[in-house]
Amino acid sequence: MKYEQNSTGILVENFDAIFDAIHDDLLISDGEGIVLRVSPTFEDVYGVEKDRVVGRSVFELETEGVFKPSIIAKVLQRREKITMQQRNRTNRRIVVTATPVFGDDGEIKLVVSYSRDITEMVELQNQYMQLENKIEQYTEEINQLRQKAALENVVIGKSPQMVNILETIRRVADFDANILFLGPSGVGKTMLAKIVHQQSKRKKGSFIDINCAAIPEHLLESELFGYEKGSFTGAGNKGKVGLIELANGGTLLLDEISEMPLSLQAKLLKTIQDKVITRVGGTKEIKVDFRLITASNRDLEEAAGRGTFRKDLYYRLNVIQIQIPSLRERKDDIIPLIDFFTEKNNRKYGLHKEFHSRALEALVNYSWPGNIRELSNIVERASMTCEGDVIPKDLLPQEVLREQTKGVREVNNLNKAVEEFEGDLIRQAYKKYGSSIEVGKALGISQPTAYRKIQKYVGK
Ligand SMILES: Nc1ncnc2c1ncn2[C@@H]1O[C@H](COP(=O)(O)OP(=O)(O)OP(=O)(O)O)[C@@H](O)[C@H]1O
Ligand SMILES: [Mg+2]
């Protein structure tokens, strides 16, 4: 590095190498404001040739409009370091910092000004702030939707079985233990899984509900685990986050888990054990923290015995097993559920419907193969099709009415069977004892009753 003497007699290092090496703009002036050095980029930034500037006073250059204003002039006046934002002639945003260098006599000997183009950074900052705003909006929206969903999730459960189930859920919700809900279709497995989530400490996280039977087998892996870009034909070129990853911080419900192909069960087992996933086509392990709930309307234990479901996976899932009985096994819930759904419809459509007691009786006696899903449909349909406010029995669907007549026929058959049995007894007794008094005594009935029955069955 060479030293040269400047106009004020100060030895100034020859900074050419440094000036050439850096991309940001540097400008050095002496204590009078005479420009000593500018970096090669000066012309691009200020639109003025280097030679027109070096050796001249920043005060003059400010008057000529080259600097608007000159930060060096300001430093010389204020005698302190200054930072300010400017726009250059191509309207780019730059941040300029100018620092005075004092000599032993306390006078400013040099001013070093350093400027940096922050247009991109400001742009990024703006984009970042816009994104942050958007995320805030979405978070707020999601919170509201969650609150709304939580309010809608009212569980009706008056029967001893449901009271028991709800109590179990209350007890286990906060532990992260895996829960397996078993029970026929429409009994409320998905709904109860949501209740577990809402009662757990994860309620602020997401609840991701995946129906393993609804996603085609060849897509299931990439849907569940996500994929890296270009990992298979048809994979988008951006890659995709898997549903399991979306459950991070929340609860993952794998519904109809019995339908998960064996080939994927091993990968799932690893995910459950290690709480990490690897995207399809990827090698990186991604940590995911979720509470696992599974549901099935098939007998998983039996499937595990048959070999269509991995035993080790079954044991992992089956930490807390909750069996939900079908509606016909908990008849105490039928009327409260009918009331609940009728009320819900009335509110939704501004109606005042109620079921006639005969209709209610038929509904209580119905076998409900579709369970609560069927019940809510029937209530809604009857409410919508009934003209008056009281829904009569004959407005109920055929399948309900058919079971009623079948029920009556069964009762008739029973009466017939009882009669046949009674007839046999009376005939035998009459043959043996020959009088209504003796028959009455032998069968433990009164003489007049014995007499009537002998007339009926023996014809005497
Ligand atoms: N105890 C309950 N109280 C109120 N509504 C209920 C109750 N149980 C279920 N439901 C409602 O009944 C419908 C069916 O329930 P859900 O979807 O949870 O059943 P599921 O057992 O998951 O059925 P599937 O086996 O078909 O997945 C839902 O609309 C749910 O909100
Ligand atoms: Mg379900």
Side-chain angles (χ1 to χ4, degrees):
M1 212 170 269
K2 295 187 307 204
Y3 289 88
E4 330 174 324
Q5 201 139 33
N6 72 14
S7 52
T8 49
I10 302 167
L11 277 179
V12 179
E13 290 173 24
N14 184 342
F15 292 120
D16 285 351
I18 298 175
F19 273 66
D20 286 345
I22 59 173
H23 296 290
D24 298 315
D25 302 305
L26 269 180
L27 187 151
I28 297 181
S29 82
D30 64 14
E32 308 294 319
I34 306 294
V35 178
L36 304 176
R37 282 276 180 280
V38 293
S39 53
T41 48
F42 184 85
E43 192 175 336
D44 299 339
V45 178
Y46 292 95
V48 181
E49 281 166 36
K50 215 169 130 182
D51 295 345
R52 267 194 57 204
V53 177
V54 176
R56 298 197 51 209
S57 149
V58 292
F59 295 99
E60 272 172 41
L61 292 166
E62 190 174 33
T63 331
E64 288 170 21
V66 175
F67 301 123
K68 309 176 234 182
S70 162
I71 190 167
I72 291 186
K74 277 198 180 350
V75 168
L76 289 171
Q77 280 154 8
R78 289 200 217 155
R79 301 173 54 81
E80 62 185 14
K81 178 179 175 181
I82 297 178
T83 296
M84 60 192 219
Q85 278 200 34
Q86 289 182 334
R87 286 204 181 260
N88 71 8
R89 97 196 144 93
T90 52
N91 210 27
R92 291 182 75 80
R93 236 176 230 282
I94 45 183
V95 165
V96 194
T97 301
T99 312
V101 179
F102 293 95
D104 291 343
D105 56 359
E107 291 302 313
I108 295 177
K109 301 297 177 201
L110 293 172
V111 182
V112 180
S113 128
Y114 167 89
S115 68
R116 160 157 263 198
D117 189 331
I118 55 159
T119 314
E120 261 99 44
M121 208 177 80
V122 171
E123 186 95 324
L124 280 175
Q125 210 172 26
N126 284 341
Q127 282 179 9
Y128 178 82
M129 267 153 61
Q130 278 172 12
L131 279 176
E132 213 171 35
N133 271 343
K134 262 198 186 146
I135 289 174
E136 234 169 72
Q137 268 175 28
Y138 288 144
T139 313
E140 184 52 30
E141 207 174 317
I142 289 173
N143 280 342
Q144 285 190 8
L145 286 172
R146 277 187 189 148
Q147 274 172 16
K148 207 168 144 227
L151 288 178
E152 277 172 12
N153 258 343
V154 181
V155 189
I156 305 297
K158 295 275 191 295
S159 62
Q161 297 101 309
M162 278 307 283
V163 169
N164 234 324
I165 288 171
L166 293 173
E167 173 58 21
T168 307
I169 287 178
R170 203 186 52 74
R171 264 187 286 120
V172 301
D174 244 349
F175 302 109
D176 261 351
N178 297 343
I179 299 183
L180 170 63
F181 281 110
L182 293 174
S185 184
V187 283
K189 300 183 293 294
T190 301
M191 179 181 200
L192 291 173
K194 278 187 205 155
I195 299 288
V196 171
H197 172 71
Q198 280 158 13
Q199 291 189 359
S200 76
K201 52 183 184 294
R202 296 173 171 273
K203 63 173 176 247
K204 292 217 161 77
S206 22
F207 176 83
I208 302 291
D209 170 9
I210 304 168
N211 185 340
C212 302
I215 303 174
E217 198 174 320
H218 66 285
L219 289 181
L220 194 55
E221 184 178 6
S222 56
E223 286 292 314
L224 287 180
F225 295 92
Y227 56 80
E228 293 298 344
K229 59 182 176 196
S231 50
F232 55 90
T233 338
N237 55 6
K238 275 166 100 186
K240 194 177 154 198
V241 180
L243 291 168
I244 299 181
E245 239 179 293
L246 285 184
N248 195 22
T251 305
L252 175 70
L253 167 64
L254 294 177
D255 207 349
E256 306 221 26
I257 185 78
S258 59
E259 306 312 299
M260 164 115 7
L262 266 173
S263 56
L264 264 189
Q265 289 179 18
K267 189 164 176 178
L268 181 66
L269 181 66
K270 181 171 161 43
T271 300
I272 296 171
Q273 278 171 344
D274 306 342
K275 291 281 155 80
V276 290
I277 56 147
T278 314
R279 291 185 183 175
V280 174
T283 48
K284 202 174 66 186
E285 289 195 330
I286 304 168
K287 270 199 161 144
V288 270
D289 163 41
F290 59 87
R291 197 257 183 86
L292 181 70
I293 303 181
T294 46
S296 175
N297 48 32
R298 297 252 172 98
D299 185 344
L300 269 195
E301 192 175 4
E302 191 238 6
R306 258 190 299 124
T308 54
F309 201 83
R310 284 182 73 112
K311 277 207 179 83
D312 45 8
L313 180 57
Y314 172 67
Y315 297 135
R316 274 274 157 188
L317 306 181
N318 193 28
V319 179
I320 295 166
Q321 188 186 106
I322 301 181
Q323 284 263 4
I324 308 172
S326 64
L327 194 51
R328 82 176 81 91
E329 291 168 84
R330 45 177 166 122
K331 283 192 182 294
D332 293 349
D333 285 335
I334 297 177
I335 298 275
L337 279 165
I338 294 173
D339 288 346
F340 170 72
F341 286 115
T342 313
E343 186 48 36
K344 199 169 163 187
N345 272 311
N346 282 348
R347 245 182 296 124
K348 186 167 156 194
Y349 300 112
L351 302 171
H352 306 278
K353 307 280 175 181
E354 56 178 325
F355 282 88
H356 189 275
S357 59
R358 298 282 305 279
L360 284 179
E361 198 185 334
L363 291 171
V364 171
N365 289 326
Y366 181 50
S367 63
W368 298 110
N371 293 296
I372 297 155
R373 186 175 294 115
E374 184 183 15
L375 184 142
S376 96
N377 286 343
I378 286 182
V379 170
E380 180 159 8
R381 211 174 338 140
S383 300
M384 307 304 295
T385 49
C386 175
E387 279 182 10
D389 278 347
V390 179
I391 305 167
K393 181 179 165 187
D394 55 17
L395 217 80
L396 296 177
Q398 277 310 308
E399 59 271 23
V400 178
L401 297 176
R402 224 178 294 129
E403 272 192 15
Q404 301 304 305
T405 50
K406 205 171 111 211
V408 170
R409 209 165 45 238
E410 273 161 11
V411 171
N412 280 343
N413 289 345
L414 178 70
N415 285 341
K416 227 169 122 196
V418 170
E419 271 187 6
E420 275 171 23
F421 185 64
E422 191 180 58
D424 281 351
L425 276 181
I426 297 285
R427 274 189 295 272
Q428 279 173 25
Y430 185 72
K431 208 169 151 193
K432 191 166 175 190
Y433 303 108
S435 80
S436 60
I437 296 178
E438 292 305 313
V439 168
K441 271 189 200 157
L443 299 179
I445 51 177
S446 69
Q447 183 269 331
T449 306
Y451 177 75
R452 260 189 296 111
K453 293 202 185 283
I454 292 165
Q455 276 199 322
K456 183 174 171 189
Y457 295 113
V458 188
K460 291 202 177 150

